[in-house]
């Protein structure tokens, strides 16, 4: 529980590879469509930086031409989530702190986490499912955009960026890790682990949260 004299904290969670262990929302969506090979190729190009977030989004939008809300719901349900997400967010809320998800993945997937207890959930803006409109590259998030959103959320919740805790797994989280004082690398590669205050490997968010729970 937060102490009255303690500043409130905002906990910022990445989604792909962090809350979803060893996978990503686009991969789980593509799994429902039988397009694992195709999304695998896109993911490799993105990780190798042969394409950036806007091009990735345009290509994945084209790949998902048959996507329905039922596919999205099934992908969300079947994703390999860390254990204890709802419990951690409940404790954060009860302690007077805030929790938010900021992800490069589609907002129509990310925003489902509001029902799990996140105060805010931001993803790349895609058109409504099923797609009848093109994707607007201007609405696709980047690593730098994560920091801008974090600043906006701090203003909205009345907290300082200097009291934030960030949880992430890859170099797309490096900019936000550099912007806040406390960071947790969750099942991360060695690049991000070297930048983190704490390192966690495992399948339960409660264990990762324990590393920063009393860090006031």
């Amino acid at each position: 529980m937060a102490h009255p004299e303690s500043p409130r904290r905002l906990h910022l969670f990445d989604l792909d590879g962090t809350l979803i262990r060893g996978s990503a929302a686009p991969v789980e969506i593509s799994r429902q469509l039988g397009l694992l090979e195709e999304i695998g190729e896109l993911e490799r190009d993105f990780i190798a930086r042969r394409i950036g977030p806007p091009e990735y989004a345009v290509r994945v939008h084209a790949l998902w031409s048959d996507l329905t809300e039922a596919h999205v719901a099934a992908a969300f349900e079947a994703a390999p989530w860390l254990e204890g997400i709802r419990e951690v967010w409940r404790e954060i809320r009860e302690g007077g702190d805030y929790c938010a998800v900021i992800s490069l993945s589609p907002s129509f997937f990310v925003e489902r986490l509001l029902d799990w207890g996140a105060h805010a959930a931001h993803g790349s803006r895609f058109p409504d499912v099923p797609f009848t409109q093109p994707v607007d590259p201007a609405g696709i998030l980047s690593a730098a955009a994560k920091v801008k959103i974090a600043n906006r959320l701090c203003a909205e919740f009345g907290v300082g960026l200097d009291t934030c805790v960030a949880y992430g797994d890859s170099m797309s989280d490096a900019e936000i890790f550099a912007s806040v004082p406390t960071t947790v690398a969750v099942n991360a590669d060695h690049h991000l682990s070297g930048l983190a205050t704490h390192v966690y490997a495992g399948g339960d968010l409660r264990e990762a949260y324990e590393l920063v729970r009393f860090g006031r």
Side-chain angles (χ1 to χ4, degrees):
M1 298 291 287
H3 301 295
E5 69 275 9
S6 300
R8 289 185 169 187
R9 294 191 295 177
L10 170 59
H11 296 257
L12 299 160
F13 295 90
D14 173 54
L15 175 68
D16 302 322
T18 304
L19 295 177
I20 297 178
R21 186 179 185 185
S23 190
V27 173
E28 296 306 312
I29 292 167
S30 298
R31 189 189 308 280
Q32 297 297 323
L33 292 164
L35 296 168
L36 278 179
E37 186 175 334
E38 292 83 351
I39 195 65
E41 182 181 335
L42 264 183
E43 286 282 309
R44 286 189 291 274
D45 284 348
F46 181 69
I47 291 168
R49 300 189 179 183
R50 288 189 287 269
I51 59 174
E55 185 179 348
Y56 177 97
V58 169
R59 288 171 61 179
V60 84
H61 174 272
L63 189 64
W64 294 341
S65 58
D66 296 328
L67 185 64
T68 66
E69 278 289 343
H71 291 126
V72 178
F76 188 89
E77 181 69 26
W81 298 101
L82 290 187
E83 296 292 327
I85 295 172
R86 294 177 186 83
E87 290 84 352
V88 167
W89 290 354
R90 186 181 308 120
E91 181 169 332
I92 287 171
R93 280 178 167 272
E94 289 174 352
D97 289 343
Y98 301 97
C99 49
V101 182
I102 308 175
S103 171
L104 274 57
S105 279
S107 55
F108 60 73
F109 188 98
V110 180
E111 288 169 4
R112 288 172 173 264
L113 288 166
L114 293 170
D115 290 339
W116 286 15
H119 287 92
H122 291 271
S124 293
R125 290 197 306 275
F126 273 67
D128 291 340
V129 176
F131 297 145
T132 59
Q133 300 293 324
V135 66
D136 180 2
I140 304 306
L141 300 189
S142 63
K146 285 189 170 190
V147 180
K148 291 180 182 176
I149 292 170
N151 275 297
R152 196 164 72 233
L153 290 173
C154 284
E156 182 180 332
F157 296 136
V159 302
L161 199 63
D162 59 353
T163 68
C164 287
V165 183
Y167 305 74
D169 75 298
S170 68
M171 288 307 288
S172 67
D173 302 305
E175 290 194 40
I176 204 159
F177 268 41
S179 303
V180 305
T182 307
T183 55
V184 185
V186 179
N187 297 317
D189 58 32
H190 67 279
H191 299 293
L192 196 73
S193 295
L195 305 175
T197 314
H198 304 279
V199 176
Y200 172 72
D204 196 318
L205 188 62
R206 288 165 293 200
E207 295 170 356
Y209 176 61
E210 196 68 29
L211 298 172
V212 298
R213 189 179 179 200
F214 301 113
R216 296 186 173 274

